[in-house]
Amino acid sequence: MTRLAIPLALLKQAQSVADDFTARTGVAVDATELLTGRAAMLDIAPQETVSAGGATRLLATRDGWCALTLSRPDDVAAVPALLQEDTAEPDPWPAIRAWAAVTSAAEVAERARLLGLPVAVLGETAPAPPVVSALGPTGAGSPAGMLVADLSSMWAGPLCGQLLARVGATVVKVESWSRPDGTRAGAPEFFDWMNGGKLSYAVDFADPRDLALLLDVADVVIEASRPAALSRRGLGPDTVAARPGRIWLRITGHGAAGEKAGWVAFGDDAAVSGGLVGYREGTPVFSGDAIADPLTGLHAAAAVVASRERGGGELIEFSMAAVAAGYRSPNGEESDVIPVRPAAGAPGRELGADNEAVRRLVAERIDASC
């Protein structure tokens, strides 16, 4: 039976966030299920310095530790440039480990980030609450009546959208025809867990007019791309038409300001950046399964319902690394936890299956506001 090494204090702390969500919405949430559900579904667990999913490795450097993720074809293709070699071996990790061992952690991170690779220096990020700023006029409404445009992918953002769907919000999962959510190509049960109950809306981001109409009428927007990606298409929180009470939720790996806004991150390396690791004989090891993802998704959902109670009109920016940092233990204590398999829910919809339904919904909202 798969077991995950996760501090019990972490689970207790996460459950307190889940309990707050429940108190505001009446919908029960099991934090342990959220944090361990994928591991239970796929029967996976970290192998010390190798992440549960296998794409991220903890690397000993000349003066510390860092984590590098090679999860996308482009990441693997960048390895020769990272190592300043002409070609890469079929298994690039031995050469990467050898290079990292004689390189400082800061140099590893700097070079990897220049190439757009997800990388983190152990403990480089301090705990920090989300950045909340005024976005527009406030407005009344319950969570159950929200229209949510979920532009995120993978885990943290989709989990937030899934939790909002559980409280009765209408959640529209927005994807690109050419580059849909990468989890569609993975285990179907995980995609269904994150996206069941959402409407599927496929768009062409090169011609974002239909998407702009959806964002204009949405009560909540969830996005997890780098901030400039939407802004240059005129779809950022400052350019979309104002709507009373709208909540714009932005999830990034390391923050939305300065150079960190361009840093790529996944759940495992973001956790390392926040110092959320365990230790075995003095060596850092991965804690949980991409744990910064579900922690951030849970916190984000709780923040949205709290903002809704305040009347919304806010931009809420979460850094996954900062969320993870808020859970790190000074001594790295861990306990074996048996993963909780989520109950089967509604299957995720085929890409673009609800395009017409979403267009009708948008038209109805536009008519109602006239």
Side-chain angles (χ1 to χ4, degrees):
M1 179 180 295
T2 297
R3 290 177 179 268
L4 293 181
I6 301 176
L8 295 181
L10 182 155
L11 295 178
K12 182 178 179 180
Q13 184 179 344
Q15 188 59 50
S16 70
V17 179
D19 290 343
D20 177 70
F21 181 86
T22 298
R24 296 177 187 275
T25 65
V27 174
V29 173
D30 181 354
T32 302
E33 175 191 307
L34 299 186
L35 271 57
T36 66
R38 189 179 78 152
M41 286 178 171
L42 307 184
D43 192 26
I44 57 175
Q47 301 300 311
E48 297 190 345
T49 59
V50 179
S51 67
T56 308
R57 309 290 171 99
L58 275 158
L59 304 170
T61 70
R62 191 178 67 212
D63 57 357
W65 289 84
C66 65
L68 180 68
T69 299
L70 301 178
S71 64
R72 305 165 297 180
D74 288 350
D75 298 334
V76 178
V79 170
L82 179 70
L83 302 180
Q84 296 182 299
E85 297 179 353
D86 293 332
T87 60
E89 296 296 325
D91 178 5
W93 288 110
I96 292 172
R97 284 197 297 269
W99 169 71
V102 296
T103 309
S104 71
E107 290 173 307
V108 170
E110 181 181 14
R111 185 160 187 82
R113 284 167 178 153
L114 284 173
L115 296 168
L117 294 172
V119 67
V121 176
L122 177 60
E124 66 185 340
T125 300
V131 177
V132 181
S133 53
L135 182 62
T138 58
S142 70
M146 298 186 299
L147 173 61
V148 179
D150 180 4
L151 281 65
S152 65
S153 61
M154 305 304 285
W155 197 345
L159 174 58
C160 175
Q162 174 59 233
L163 292 174
L164 297 179
R166 293 186 192 180
V167 305
T170 298
V171 182
V172 178
K173 181 171 181 61
V174 180
E175 298 173 82
S176 164
W177 281 114
S178 59
R179 297 187 66 179
D181 187 337
T183 57
R184 284 188 178 274
E189 57 266 45
F190 178 68
F191 179 83
D192 292 347
W193 181 37
M194 289 294 101
N195 298 293
K198 301 178 185 179
L199 300 174
S200 176
Y201 189 47
V203 299
D204 179 1
F205 277 84
D207 182 12
R209 286 174 292 183
D210 285 347
L211 177 55
L213 291 174
L214 172 62
L215 299 186
D216 283 347
V217 300
D219 299 303
V220 177
V221 178
I222 302 171
E223 53 120 329
S225 56
R226 282 173 281 186
L230 288 177
S231 294
R232 65 172 174 256
R233 293 182 171 89
L235 300 174
D238 298 327
T239 53
V240 170
R243 178 177 177 81
R246 177 181 292 128
I247 301 164
W248 195 289
L249 177 70
R250 172 176 287 158
I251 297 173
T252 64
H254 298 273
E259 65 173 352
K260 291 184 178 181
W263 293 358
V264 182
F266 289 91
D268 285 302
D269 52 82
V272 172
S273 178
L276 181 50
V277 296
Y279 286 89
R280 293 180 186 169
E281 298 179 355
T283 298
V285 296
F286 286 106
S287 181
D289 172 26
I291 199 164
D293 270 310
L295 284 174
T296 303
L298 172 60
H299 276 257
V304 168
V305 296
S307 177
R308 185 75 168 175
E309 288 184 358
R310 296 192 295 269
E314 295 178 328
L315 169 63
I316 306 173
E317 298 175 300
F318 275 94
S319 154
M320 292 201 301
V323 171
Y327 282 83
R328 65 188 178 201
S329 171
N331 52 15
E333 288 183 357
E334 295 194 342
S335 304
D336 281 342
V337 175
I338 298 175
V340 176
R341 186 179 181 89
R349 303 281 286 169
E350 292 184 7
L351 182 65
D354 302 298
N355 274 23
E356 289 305 316
V358 172
R359 291 188 184 108
R360 288 195 299 270
L361 180 59
V362 169
E364 290 168 3
R365 285 214 158 196
I366 291 173
D367 290 342
S369 63
C370 292

